């Protein structure tokens, strides 16, 4: 891309030719990050592809559709070879275990419903990998996430993807302003995934028809309990299924097999009313069930807040925003009442069901696409 003026910005926002702009591309081996790398290479950027090995090759190869696995490392390398840029594989297995997997296991054992993909972005990809990119003298790091980075009056801002169905803002709320200054998301403006696959076909990428990854990368077939039992032997201690009125309705084979809001698979049929898991008492090993209305929550305590607004979180007594309390739910109107720079109580205007400790609560502008940050839901 030729620059008409000395101060003209290239497509990544730098006042120099693409050939003089080094960009590290985080390549998972999937179609999204492969397209980012191929597109930037075609535009003439000094592209360096980096793939993280996050867990054992043997286990990874046994699971289809996992990111950062053995087959995906091979696919990322093939893309780099065909597009003619260097590619490196970094062994982050120990970092990933310490920063993501162990906390996932401990949180799940404590009765929470963790979201390890957020921690992976926060503690591995946008922390250690980003520092590695700087060590490689990169001007920026690009990823295949569906989210937009826009430059506002106070600096870079995080905005939802143009395609609401692909938007990954829930998983990226903990991106700090300093990280956002260095990151780029070339796919966030695309109207649909079809355009991404069309670009993959245009560049002749071997991953053009590769299916999207599903579930958590280190959890085969979404079976959380089996992973926890492997990581924490003896974790599946049996206990009782107890109604909120105190009646013992049955037994279970471990609290780790249940999540807040679950209805199916409780093993307590023959009752006149449908029952849901409304609480997990890990210490007593009780799965507590009750009617659906008991799942409705309006007040949500939030901590470890990463605030991305222009003014300090504590500069107001309350903020009118929209929030997501689950990745699959649309934003709902809410009020944030700050308790400190990193803690707050969120009041939902309309009660939500199945609000669970360990999930994220992500803040959005009520009008517009900007992400204002978010935090982690915890027990009051």
């Amino acid at each position: 891309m030729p620059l008409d003026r000395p101060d003209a910005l290239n497509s990544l926002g730098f006042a120099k030719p693409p050939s003089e702009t080094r960009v590290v591309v985080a390549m998972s081996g999937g179609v999204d990050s492969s397209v980012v790398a191929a597109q930037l290479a075609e535009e003439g950027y000094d592209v360096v592809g980096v793939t993280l090995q996050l867990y054992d090759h043997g286990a990874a190869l046994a699971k289809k559709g996992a990111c950062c696995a053995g087959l995906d490392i091979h696919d990322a390398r093939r893309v780099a070879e065909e597009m003619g840029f260097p590619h490196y594989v970094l062994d982050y297995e120990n970092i990933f275990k310490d920063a993501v997997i162990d906390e996932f296991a401990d949180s799940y054992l404590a009765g929470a419903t963790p979201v390890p993909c957020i921690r992976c972005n926060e503690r591995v990809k946008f922390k250690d990998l980003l520092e590695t990119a700087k060590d490689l003298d990169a001007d920026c790091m690009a990823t295949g996430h569906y989210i937009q980075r826009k430059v506002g009056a106070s600096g870079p801002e995080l905005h939802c993807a143009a395609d609401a169905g692909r938007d990954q803002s829930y998983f990226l709320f903990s991106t700090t302003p300093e990280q956002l200054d260095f990151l780029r998301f070339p796919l966030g403006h695309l109207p649909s995934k079809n355009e991404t696959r069309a670009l993959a076909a245009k560049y002749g990428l071997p991953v053009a028809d590769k299916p999207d990854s599903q579930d958590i990368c280190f959890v085969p077939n979404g079976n959380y309990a089996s992973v926890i039992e492997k990581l924490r032997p003896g974790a599946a201690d049996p206990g009782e299924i107890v109604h909120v009125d105190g009646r013992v309705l049955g037994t279970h084979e471990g609290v780790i097999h249940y999540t807040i809001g679950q209805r199916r698979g409780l093993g307590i049929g023959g009752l006149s009313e449908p029952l849901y898991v409304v609480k997990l008492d890990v210490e007593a090993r009780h799965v507590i069930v009750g009617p659906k209305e008991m799942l409705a929550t309006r007040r949500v305590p939030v901590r470890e807040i990463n605030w991305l607004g222009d003014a300090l979180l504590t500069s107001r007594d309350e903020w009118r925003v929209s929030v997501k309390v689950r990745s699959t739910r649309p934003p709902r109107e809410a009020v944030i009442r700050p308790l400190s720079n990193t803690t707050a109580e969120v009041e939902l205007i309309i009660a939500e069901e199945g609000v669970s400790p360990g999930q994220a609560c992500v803040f959005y502008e009520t009008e517009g696409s900007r992400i204002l940050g978010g935090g982690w839901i915890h027990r009051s």
Side-chain angles (χ1 to χ4, degrees), residues 38-317:
Q39 186 172 38
L40 294 176
E42 188 186 63
E43 290 179 20
Y45 285 96
D46 179 10
V47 172
V48 178
V50 175
T51 302
L52 303 182
Q53 180 194 327
L54 297 181
Y55 49 94
D56 176 72
H57 274 279
L61 286 167
K63 186 195 171 191
K64 296 180 179 179
C67 75
C68 307
L71 290 173
D72 290 313
I73 291 171
H74 173 69
D75 287 341
R77 183 178 289 118
R78 287 175 63 202
V79 170
E81 288 174 352
E82 295 201 10
M83 296 303 299
F85 58 83
H87 174 259
Y88 301 97
V89 178
L90 304 180
D91 184 354
Y92 273 41
E93 188 172 338
N94 289 336
I95 294 173
F96 186 65
K97 181 180 183 301
D98 293 343
V100 180
I101 295 180
D102 283 345
E103 185 190 80
F104 168 82
D106 294 338
S107 297
Y108 214 85
L109 285 175
T113 309
V115 191
C117 298
I118 297 175
R119 290 301 196 194
C120 182
N121 290 326
E122 173 188 320
R123 297 176 174 176
V124 180
K125 293 177 182 175
F126 291 176
K127 183 174 180 285
D128 293 284
L129 178 55
L130 190 144
E131 290 304 316
T132 297
K134 291 180 178 179
D135 290 340
L136 291 170
D137 294 324
D139 293 285
C140 63
M141 185 173 89
T143 80
H145 288 105
Y146 286 86
I147 196 165
Q148 297 188 78
R149 174 191 182 274
K150 299 181 180 181
V151 179
S154 299
E157 300 172 352
L158 206 58
H159 287 256
C160 295
D163 179 4
R166 303 292 303 181
D167 177 63
Q168 292 176 290
S169 59
Y170 184 86
F171 301 99
L172 297 170
F173 79 85
S174 62
T175 306
T176 67
E178 293 76 22
Q179 292 168 342
L180 192 55
D181 190 53
F182 194 71
L183 289 164
R184 299 294 187 274
F185 308 106
L187 301 184
H189 70 285
L190 295 180
S192 78
K193 181 66 177 263
N194 291 336
E195 278 72 15
T196 306
R197 292 201 179 276
L199 286 170
K202 170 188 171 183
Y203 300 130
L205 300 184
V207 296
D209 296 320
K210 186 174 181 177
D212 292 338
S213 60
Q214 302 292 327
D215 301 318
I216 298 169
C217 65
F218 59 91
V219 181
N221 305 315
N223 189 343
Y224 292 13
S226 65
V227 173
I228 303 301
E229 289 180 277
K230 182 177 179 181
L231 293 169
R232 300 289 187 271
D237 292 330
E240 295 176 333
I241 299 175
V242 182
H243 194 281
V244 289
D245 63 12
R247 287 178 291 151
V248 176
L249 302 179
T251 60
H252 63 76
E253 295 302 316
V255 172
I256 62 172
H257 295 284
Y258 300 86
T259 57
I260 302 296
Q262 180 177 336
R263 178 185 175 189
R264 297 182 182 277
L266 300 183
I268 50 172
L271 300 172
S272 59
E273 60 174 339
L275 295 175
Y276 300 78
V277 176
V278 298
K279 184 180 178 183
L280 298 171
D281 186 336
V282 176
E283 292 185 5
R285 300 201 299 274
H286 284 172
V287 173
I288 301 170
V289 298
K292 187 177 183 180
E293 55 265 25
M294 291 198 68
L295 292 170
T297 302
R298 286 193 59 193
R299 296 188 182 278
V300 183
V302 180
R303 63 186 176 188
E304 295 183 61
I305 291 174
N306 179 55
W307 181 250
L308 294 173
D310 295 333
L312 289 174
L313 176 64
T314 52
S315 64
R316 297 185 193 174
D317 291 333

